[in-house]
């Protein structure tokens, strides 16, 4: 949409984050760890760390979709990786990696996912664990310098 475009003529960084967050909310809902878990168990995932890689520009009107991969999980945490696909060019426009922790909203402390949610997470992790690791996953941030 036009309101997502900044003065450089492409999608503003805040909207990349929002688009990835919206996509992640859909995955969380399917896993049973999203808004419904908050309502039923007063717990839900909170971001601990995230990193974006901007690999291409998205301009006004450009259609995109987000693909999801679960890189790792345990009783309380999920390590997720998403790719934003430029549907017109069929290229990866950006990637988003995030580590989330399930939090009990009453005590504001970490808590294991309920068994039914944990089972869904485990099934998805098993389905994704043999996929190749994305090149951007786990990359450090910093200025890369060529050595003479």
């Amino acid at each position: 949409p036009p309101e997502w475009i900044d003065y450089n003529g492409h999608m503003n960084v805040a909207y990349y984050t929002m688009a990835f967050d919206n996509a992640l909310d859909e995955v969380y809902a399917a896993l049973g760890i999203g808004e419904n878990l908050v309502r039923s168990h007063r717990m839900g995932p909170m971001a601990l760390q995230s990193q974006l890689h901007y690999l291409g520009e998205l301009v006004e009107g450009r259609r995109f979709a987000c693909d999801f991969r679960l890189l790792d999980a345990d009783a309380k945490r999920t390590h997720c990786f998403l790719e934003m696909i430029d549907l017109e060019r069929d290229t990866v426009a950006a990637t988003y990696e995030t580590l989330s922790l399930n939090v009990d909203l009453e005590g504001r402390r970490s808590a294991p996912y309920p068994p039914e949610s944990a089972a869904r997470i485990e099934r998805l992790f098993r389905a994704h664990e043999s996929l190749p690791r994305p090149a951007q996953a786990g990359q450090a941030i910093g200025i890369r310098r060529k050595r003479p």
Side-chain angles (χ1 to χ4, degrees):
E3 61 272 14
W4 287 20
I5 304 304
D6 66 16
Y7 53 80
N8 289 315
H10 58 212
M11 190 159 75
N12 181 272
V13 296
Y15 293 105
Y16 281 87
T17 300
M18 187 170 75
F20 279 125
D21 191 55
N22 289 341
L24 199 53
D25 279 345
E26 289 184 33
V27 173
Y28 285 169
L31 290 172
I33 61 173
E35 191 174 345
N36 287 339
L37 185 64
V38 171
R39 277 197 231 106
S40 65
H41 289 76
R42 294 291 300 144
M43 63 173 53
M46 292 188 180
L48 292 175
Q49 181 178 350
S50 59
Q51 185 167 354
L52 273 154
H53 287 261
Y54 304 97
L55 305 173
E57 287 186 300
L58 289 175
V59 296
E60 185 177 341
R62 186 71 51 90
R63 294 179 336 108
F64 65 90
C66 294
D67 288 339
F68 172 86
R69 185 175 312 172
L70 184 59
L71 296 179
D72 201 359
D74 63 18
K76 299 178 183 181
R77 297 172 294 185
T78 58
H79 181 187
C80 305
F81 190 87
L82 292 89
E83 292 179 321
M84 185 177 288
I85 309 300
D86 178 331
L87 294 175
E88 290 179 29
R89 295 183 176 164
D90 195 30
T91 58
V92 178
T95 65
Y96 178 72
E97 184 176 7
T98 186
L99 179 64
S100 297
L101 176 69
N102 189 49
V103 175
D104 175 326
L105 298 176
E106 298 301 325
R108 307 307 276 189
R109 299 190 55 83
S110 67
Y113 284 109
E116 61 276 8
S117 300
R120 287 187 195 108
I121 293 167
E122 178 68 18
R123 280 193 302 274
L124 186 60
F125 175 63
R126 294 293 164 221
H128 287 189
E129 70 180 333
S130 64
L131 296 172
R133 188 166 179 86
Q136 287 80 25
Q139 282 193 2
I141 192 168
I143 297 172
R144 295 179 184 97
R145 301 190 187 278
K146 293 181 181 177
R147 304 288 178 198

